């Protein structure tokens, strides 16, 4: 997760400010002849600025409290070779040049992995799900996100605590959670905490706990 590397660079003193840019060209990966992998991946890009506390000039900002990253091998959602390798005209449209997804992989594998991973992380840092005011999830599936959000928020599940941008932008892959955070971060009151939670093919999972702050110095 690029944000994790940027945070490490700032905490180690290697940098005072880091610009993280997350581009996604999802539409180029879609095989419209395969119903299992033909979903609404879109194109988008997000940019976030991470700063050391003493450099921050924003009136409203979010402090990174902690994070956890993990990679678990799975070939059930994967781009086997990649669209950038489509140079041979004889294999231009071969299946391995497109994103592939086995039927049910999102719900049968990814959803329990995400909820187990994130709940274990919260338990390790001694934080109950009730302490989380909002979750900004990867925008890959409304139904999947509802199931993940319910596991965390239970009866507190709402459009404010689990915002969605899929109805407007579709699935922006790794840029989706960051775009969702950008568009809905103002709902977090100062002192409240939220979770940025991304997951994707591979499987790669990342959690980052944020706290809303207001700059006190002039």
């Amino acid at each position: 997760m690029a944000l994790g590397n940027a945070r490490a660079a700032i905490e180690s003193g290697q940098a005072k400010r880091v610009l993280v840019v997350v581009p996604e060209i999802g539409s180029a990966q879609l095989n419209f002849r395969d119903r299992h992998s033909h979903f609404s991946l879109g194109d988008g890009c997000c940019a976030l600025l991470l700063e050391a506390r003493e450099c921050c000039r924003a009136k409203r900002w979010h402090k990174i409290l902690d994070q956890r990253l993990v990679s678990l091998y799975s070939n059930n959602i994967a781009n086997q070779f990649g669209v950038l390798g489509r140079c041979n005209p004889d294999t231009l449209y071969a299946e391995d040049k497109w994103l592939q997804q086995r039927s049910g992989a999102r719900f049968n594998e990814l959803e329990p992995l995400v909820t187990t991973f994130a709940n274990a992380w919260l338990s390790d840092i001694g934080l109950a799900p009730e302490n989380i005011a909002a979750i900004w999830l990867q925008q890959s599936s409304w139904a999947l996100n509802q199931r993940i959000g319910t596991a965390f928020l239970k009866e507190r599940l709402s459009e404010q605590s689990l915002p969605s941008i899929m109805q407007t932008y579709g699935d922006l892959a790794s840029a989706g959670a960051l775009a969702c955070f950008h568009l809905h971060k103002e709902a977090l009151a100062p002192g409240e905490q939220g979770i940025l939670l991304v997951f994707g093919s591979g499987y790669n999972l990342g959690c980052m706990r944020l706290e809303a702050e207001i700059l006190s110095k002039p």
Side-chain angles (χ1 to χ4, degrees), residues 94-127:
E95 289 189 1
D96 68 333
K97 304 301 185 293
W98 309 98
L99 180 71
Q100 297 182 35
Q101 176 175 261
R102 297 185 188 277
S103 177
R106 288 191 184 191
F107 291 98
N108 297 335
E109 290 189 358
L110 195 52
E111 185 259 338
L113 281 175
V114 172
T115 53
T116 301
F117 160 70
N119 276 315
W121 170 60
L122 289 178
S123 177
D124 289 345
I125 62 177
L127 194 68

Side-chain angles (χ1 to χ4, degrees), residues 28-133:
Q29 306 178 60
L30 298 185
N31 182 359
F32 292 98
R33 297 168 296 178
D34 178 12
R35 63 180 297 272
H36 297 302
S37 58
H38 171 201
F39 45 91
S40 56
L41 271 175
D43 303 333
C45 183
C46 287
L48 291 89
L49 179 65
L50 272 68
E51 300 177 297
R53 175 64 182 83
E54 63 271 18
C55 299
C56 184
R57 299 179 182 179
K59 294 181 179 180
R60 184 181 177 92
W61 50 284
H62 292 76
K63 177 169 61 178
I64 299 175
L65 299 177
D66 42 48
Q67 67 187 44
R68 179 170 293 182
L69 312 173
V70 67
S71 292
L72 304 169
Y73 176 77
S74 173
N75 206 34
N76 284 337
I77 303 178
N79 192 329
Q80 310 294 358
F81 189 70
V83 293
L84 298 181
R86 292 165 57 194
C87 300
N88 186 340
D90 295 331
T91 60
L92 182 63
Y93 299 110
E95 289 189 1
D96 68 333
K97 304 301 185 293
W98 309 98
L99 180 71
Q100 297 182 35
Q101 176 175 261
R102 297 185 188 277
S103 177
R106 288 191 184 191
F107 291 98
N108 297 335
E109 290 189 358
L110 195 52
E111 185 259 338
L113 281 175
V114 172
T115 53
T116 301
F117 160 70
N119 276 315
W121 170 60
L122 289 178
S123 177
D124 289 345
I125 62 177
L127 194 68
E130 292 76 21
N131 299 123
I132 301 300

Side-chain angles (χ1 to χ4, degrees), residues 114-167:
V114 172
T115 53
T116 301
F117 160 70
N119 276 315
W121 170 60
L122 289 178
S123 177
D124 289 345
I125 62 177
L127 194 68
E130 292 76 21
N131 299 123
I132 301 300
I135 304 176
W136 306 287
L137 289 176
Q138 182 120 349
Q139 302 292 293
S140 61
S141 164
W142 185 88
L144 176 62
N145 285 5
Q146 288 293 306
R147 290 169 62 166
I148 295 172
T150 299
F152 278 102
L153 301 165
K154 297 180 173 59
E155 69 277 358
R156 296 184 297 116
L157 184 67
S158 66
E159 292 184 2
Q160 181 172 337
S161 62
L162 187 72
S164 173
I165 62 169
M166 280 179 281
Q167 64 274 26

